[in-house]
Short mmCIF file of all heavy atoms in Angstrom, two decimals:
data_model
loop_
_atom_site.label_atom_id
_atom_site.label_comp_id
_atom_site.label_asym_id
_atom_site.label_seq_id
_atom_site.Cartn_x
_atom_site.Cartn_y
_atom_site.Cartn_z
N SER A 367 35.64 11.81 105.14
CA SER A 367 34.66 11.39 106.15
C SER A 367 34.07 12.62 106.82
O SER A 367 34.67 13.69 106.84
CB SER A 367 35.33 10.51 107.21
OG SER A 367 36.23 11.30 107.99
N LEU A 371 29.55 15.40 116.09
CA LEU A 371 30.02 15.05 117.43
C LEU A 371 29.32 15.92 118.47
O LEU A 371 28.94 17.06 118.18
CB LEU A 371 31.53 15.27 117.56
CG LEU A 371 32.46 14.68 116.50
CD1 LEU A 371 33.92 15.04 116.85
CD2 LEU A 371 32.29 13.18 116.40
N GLY A 375 33.00 15.77 122.19
CA GLY A 375 33.76 14.98 121.23
C GLY A 375 33.18 13.59 120.99
O GLY A 375 33.65 12.87 120.12
N VAL A 407 38.18 19.28 113.36
CA VAL A 407 37.05 19.13 114.27
C VAL A 407 36.70 20.52 114.76
O VAL A 407 37.55 21.24 115.28
CB VAL A 407 37.40 18.22 115.48
CG1 VAL A 407 36.24 18.18 116.47
CG2 VAL A 407 37.74 16.81 114.99
N ASN A 556 33.21 16.66 112.49
CA ASN A 556 34.54 16.08 112.27
C ASN A 556 34.64 15.78 110.78
O ASN A 556 33.99 14.89 110.27
CB ASN A 556 34.67 14.79 113.10
CG ASN A 556 36.01 14.09 112.86
OD1 ASN A 556 36.93 14.69 112.26
ND2 ASN A 556 36.12 12.85 113.31
N THR A 558 37.18 15.08 107.44
CA THR A 558 38.52 14.77 106.93
C THR A 558 38.46 14.61 105.42
O THR A 558 37.46 14.16 104.87
CB THR A 558 39.07 13.44 107.52
OG1 THR A 558 38.32 12.35 106.97
CG2 THR A 558 39.00 13.41 109.03
C1 NAG B 1236 37.39 12.22 113.03
O1 NAG B 1236 37.26 11.32 111.96
C2 NAG B 1236 38.43 10.58 111.66
C3 NAG B 1236 38.18 9.76 110.41
O2 NAG B 1236 37.05 8.99 110.56
C4 NAG B 1236 38.83 9.75 112.86
O3 NAG B 1236 40.02 9.08 112.54
C5 NAG B 1236 39.03 10.67 114.04
O4 NAG B 1236 39.31 9.91 115.18
C6 NAG B 1236 37.79 11.50 114.29
N1 NAG B 1236 38.04 12.47 115.35
C7 NAG B 1236 37.25 12.61 116.40
C8 NAG B 1236 37.62 13.64 117.39
O5 NAG B 1236 36.27 11.93 116.55
#
Side-chain angles (χ1 to χ4, degrees):
S367 69
L371 310 180
V407 175
N556 177 13
T558 70

